[in-house]
Amino acid sequence: MTALGNPPPRRRSARFVALLWSLTALLVVAVVGAAATMIAVLRQDAIDSASDRLARFSANATASINRSLVEVDLLLAGLQAALATRAFADLEAAAGDDRLALSGMARQSLLVRDIALVDLRGRVLAAVQPATREVGFALSSDFLASLSAPGA
């Protein structure tokens, strides 16, 4: 006993200290392992989610582009129907007026700014934009030859 009447402190045994440190180390390893596993799972979930979003975005963009191209195709089909009812000489006479309604067709589409009717020699017969009517544009001779080929 000490002078105040308290019993002397007991010394902890070395085995108890080793067991306490072992359990503490085991707990730390378990927490680090759980955190690493959680990080790996969350990372994979984020990658899968981003991949799904990218696939949806790509599918939506493809569908939008396809709709726009179908719109242009319908615009050109309407132009073909309008031209099928006219003779070629009639087209040259109508090139200067709006009877072909090219500007109306071009206004229907956000993708089409100019529509031009070009003969097999590359001359612009009619166009929506005045600059195209006046200046024209250059078409390669191979392209013009492919237009006059059978089955074109």
Side-chain angles (χ1 to χ4, degrees):
M1 285 215 150
T2 60
L4 296 176
N6 292 334
R10 295 173 93 193
R11 280 196 84 162
R12 295 187 181 133
S13 69
R15 273 193 328 187
F16 176 74
V17 171
L19 178 66
L20 186 63
W21 278 110
S22 298
L23 290 175
T24 304
L26 184 64
L27 180 64
V28 168
V29 168
V31 167
V32 169
T37 302
M38 187 174 76
I39 289 171
V41 167
L42 289 175
R43 179 182 179 275
Q44 189 59 44
D45 285 348
I47 289 172
D48 292 343
S49 175
S51 176
D52 290 344
R53 276 196 324 259
L54 181 62
R56 281 193 310 272
F57 175 78
S58 175
N60 289 338
T62 301
S64 177
I65 289 170
N66 283 338
R67 276 192 303 273
S68 297
L69 292 177
V70 165
E71 177 185 327
V72 170
D73 190 38
L74 291 173
L75 174 77
L76 294 176
L79 180 61
Q80 181 182 6
L83 293 177
T85 61
R86 297 182 181 269
F88 184 73
D90 208 16
L91 285 176
E92 286 186 311
D97 63 17
D98 278 343
R99 287 188 293 165
L100 292 175
L102 295 178
S103 60
M105 290 181 177
R107 267 187 263 120
Q108 291 174 359
S109 173
L110 296 175
L111 293 177
V112 177
R113 290 186 301 175
D114 194 6
I115 298 173
L117 290 176
V118 181
D119 66 5
L120 292 176
R121 292 183 305 243
R123 288 185 314 148
V124 176
L125 299 177
V128 173
Q129 300 292 328
T132 306
R133 283 193 302 262
E134 294 167 9
V135 177
F137 51 91
L139 296 173
S140 72
S141 57
D142 294 337
F143 177 71
L144 292 172
S146 72
L147 291 178
S148 60

